[in-house]
Amino acid sequence: MTLNGAFWDGALRVSVPFTNGQPLTRLKAGSKVLLSGVVYTARDAAHKRIVEALDRGEKPPFELEGQVIYYAGPCPPPPGRVIGSLGPTTSGRMDAYAPRLCAAGLKGMIGKGKRSKVVVRAITKFGAVYFATIGGAGALLSQAVKKAEVVAYPDLGPEAVYRLEIADFPALVAIDPLGRDMYNRS
Amino acid sequence: MYIHAGEIEDLVRDLCIKAVTDLPGDVAVALLAASRRETSALGREILGALLKNAEFAKETRTPLCQDTGLTYVFLEIGRDVRIEGDIKEAVTRGVARGYTEGYLRKSVVRDPLFHRENTEDNTPPVIHIDIVPGSEVSVTVLPKGTGSENMSAVKMLTPSAGPQGVMDFVLETVRQGAPNACPPMVVGVGVGGMMDTASFLAKKALLRPVGDSNRDPEIASMEKKLLAAINNLGIGPGGFGGITTALAVHIETYPTHIGALPVAVNLQCHAARRASGILRGAERPCSQNQHSSR
């Protein structure tokens, strides 16, 4: 079983990270995308440490400029597999940290669920984008991960920062750089 | 009748792995039915992806969702059974083995407040024990992810709020929480008893096969009304719009105080994972040696 075929028909192919500095205006709320390239995972505990590092004037564990963070913590890989199940976690728990990271250069976030007004404002201010993917489909989504390695905070276990190489990872543009929000359709 | 704690450990281990890789048939059937009814094209695509996810998870024994949860273990112990060994230790060891040997995510921290360090084997589980008639032990494992758990809520209503007050609270909890809770959901509702009774009943309601109505016709009708109202919210699969926000509403009740009307809503995501097994007692005790040499 793969993610190919008719699945995610009509999706825009998008390369990540967004390091060429081009505006992300072609990404519009509601559009389907297939993401390929490199992203980093970070959840609650990793965010806390990254923000604490920034506050102390230290370098974050990976370059934030143009980068995309996937809010996720994987299951361990069984022998012979790249990674275990790996779907999105609830993005709202990272709302307290996201504006700080956007200010430091972060351009994309992948997760599931609503974001606060403060995050929507940070997204528009810094021209970032929030992608939502399919919560609870971790088995299927793990198929889009081609390579995975822990690059920071290994003591956090599933909350460690992983560098992931992804290919055709399905998502939706949930909040676009103009602040249009799929979760707030009214 | 005798049951060795080691048998309970083995069963809990197996049920942890089965629960997270094998979506219960009643949930899959409900998702399939919803995918035929759903009016949003994107909603249908999401529901299709969830069914594919379930097939792939079962074929490859990959967890349906990476959040393999905090493990809730319900035990019903027949009153004619004598357990050889420590049952809570056996359940805890079973969970540790299931999560380690099954390559499941370990998502438990020892101390919720100051030292949020991972216990590294997903223990301790939450264990609930009931004594029932008979000579069997029935075990149900409910691994509960936090996406839906965090969106759950309890409210101490008072009697004047009545059934309408309960319905309003359920609907408001779903409206606020559903987009984050991986819809389409199963909505567990507990009403009555005290604060903790209502919460427990809401969790227990999630064990009912999806779509099974409460036996009380008035409560069954309330479940139907609530399901219709929830699916009218337009939140839809994944929260991206549509008519499938919940697959079922299950209400459980208990007698309560003359001045009380506690209500709890426990949301369950579409990966409504649970697995059960039964152990039958043996006539003679089995020694520790016999068990470990199996």
Side-chain angles (χ1 to χ4, degrees):
Chain A
M1 180 103 30
T2 65
L3 291 172
N4 302 332
F7 183 70
W8 231 230
D9 238 0
L12 196 63
R13 286 176 188 276
V14 176
S15 291
V16 289
F18 302 113
T19 39
N20 60 6
Q22 281 178 1
L24 307 177
T25 42
R26 68 184 185 127
L27 301 176
K28 294 187 170 63
S31 308
K32 288 186 211 167
V33 293
L34 287 167
L35 305 172
S36 298
V38 171
V39 298
Y40 290 86
T41 68
R43 298 171 43 100
D44 315 52
H47 271 79
K48 186 162 182 277
R49 287 196 191 175
I50 293 169
V51 166
E52 283 166 0
L54 292 173
D55 286 346
R56 288 192 300 264
E58 294 167 10
K59 279 182 79 170
F62 56 93
E63 180 56 58
L64 285 171
E65 190 57 49
Q67 203 49 260
V68 177
I69 288 181
Y70 181 19
Y71 300 141
C75 285
R81 299 271 297 277
V82 171
I83 197 80
S85 191
L86 184 53
T89 195
T90 307
S91 307
R93 293 199 317 275
M94 269 53 78
D95 283 0
Y97 309 107
R100 180 85 169 84
L101 296 190
C102 289
L106 184 73
K107 273 287 182 284
M109 295 156 274
I110 311 170
K112 68 165 167 101
K114 303 182 281 189
R115 306 309 298 267
S116 70
K117 285 193 181 116
V118 181
V119 173
V120 178
R121 272 203 298 276
I123 285 171
T124 51
K125 182 174 175 190
F126 298 106
V129 61
Y130 168 51
F131 299 104
T133 186
I134 308 168
L140 209 57
L141 292 171
S142 70
Q143 290 293 92
V145 178
K146 303 305 169 191
K147 201 175 163 197
E149 58 173 326
V150 174
V151 295
Y153 317 141
D155 59 298
L156 292 179
E159 294 205 81
V161 172
Y162 283 73
R163 179 185 183 275
L164 303 179
E165 291 182 21
I166 56 172
D168 290 344
F169 183 97
L172 290 155
V173 178
I175 304 175
D176 65 25
L178 296 177
R180 287 174 295 206
D181 184 352
M182 246 194 118
Y183 289 104
N184 197 353
R185 290 180 292 272
S186 53
Chain B
M1 300 298 254
Y2 296 86
I3 292 177
H4 194 276
E7 292 177 69
I8 295 174
E9 174 185 330
D10 291 347
L11 179 59
V12 167
R13 176 219 176 264
D14 294 348
L15 291 177
C16 287
I17 298 172
K18 182 175 194 296
V20 301
T21 54
D22 191 357
L23 189 69
D26 53 287
V27 182
V29 165
L31 285 172
L32 186 64
S35 73
R36 290 180 179 146
R37 267 195 318 266
E38 179 54 59
T39 50
S40 146
L42 178 58
R44 283 195 300 274
E45 199 165 5
I46 302 275
L47 291 168
L50 299 181
L51 287 162
K52 258 192 199 171
N53 185 61
E55 271 177 54
F56 179 75
K58 193 174 178 179
E59 273 172 29
T60 60
R61 295 213 123 189
T62 304
L64 291 147
C65 174
Q66 76 292 337
D67 187 354
T68 48
L70 175 58
T71 320
Y72 208 126
V73 182
F74 296 81
L75 296 156
E76 286 182 341
I77 300 177
R79 64 177 167 231
D80 300 327
V81 175
R82 176 166 176 164
I83 308 281
E84 299 173 76
D86 186 315
I87 189 163
K88 287 189 176 170
E89 267 179 32
V91 169
T92 303
R93 274 199 304 271
V95 168
R97 283 179 52 209
Y99 278 70
T100 309
E101 295 167 19
Y103 300 96
L104 314 187
R105 198 178 80 183
K106 289 79 179 174
S107 312
V108 178
V109 289
R110 174 79 57 202
D111 166 25
L113 284 173
F114 303 109
H115 309 284
R116 294 185 63 93
E117 285 153 14
N118 201 301
T119 61
E120 296 185 359
D121 61 4
N122 221 57
T123 68
V126 177
I127 301 174
H128 180 84
I129 295 178
D130 257 348
I131 306 296
V132 298
S135 55
E136 297 175 343
V137 169
S138 149
V139 182
T140 297
V141 169
L142 179 88
K144 190 69 166 61
T146 207
S148 56
E149 192 72 5
N150 274 354
M151 297 297 120
S152 303
V154 188
K155 189 158 191 185
M156 303 307 286
L157 295 174
T158 49
S160 68
Q164 189 58 48
V166 169
M167 303 230 319
D168 292 346
F169 177 65
V170 174
L171 205 57
E172 193 45 35
T173 303
V174 170
R175 188 201 310 275
Q176 291 297 327
N180 290 359
C182 289
M185 304 169 298
V186 178
V187 179
V189 181
V191 188
M194 302 187 197
M195 187 180 83
D196 55 320
T197 328
S199 297
F200 176 71
L201 290 172
K203 175 122 309 109
K204 202 176 165 192
L206 303 177
L207 299 181
R208 219 200 274 167
V210 167
D212 259 22
S213 302
N214 190 296
R215 281 191 198 155
D216 179 313
E218 273 180 313
I219 299 174
S221 138
M222 192 168 169
E223 290 176 341
K224 257 192 184 160
K225 267 192 229 163
L226 267 172
L227 181 62
I230 288 167
N231 285 335
N232 231 354
L233 291 172
I235 294 166
F240 304 125
I243 62 164
T244 318
T245 303
L247 298 173
V249 177
H250 295 164
I251 304 175
E252 294 290 328
T253 65
Y254 193 81
T256 193
H257 189 279
I258 48 174
L261 182 55
V263 52
V265 182
N266 198 195
L267 298 181
Q268 171 68 300
C269 59
H270 55 71
R273 297 153 288 177
R274 56 181 142 75
S276 300
I278 288 176
L279 294 170
R280 292 187 175 80
E283 303 257 345
R284 292 171 208 288
C286 110
S287 74
Q288 179 71 49
N289 289 344
Q290 275 171 321
H291 171 74
S292 52
S293 65
R294 276 191 310 160

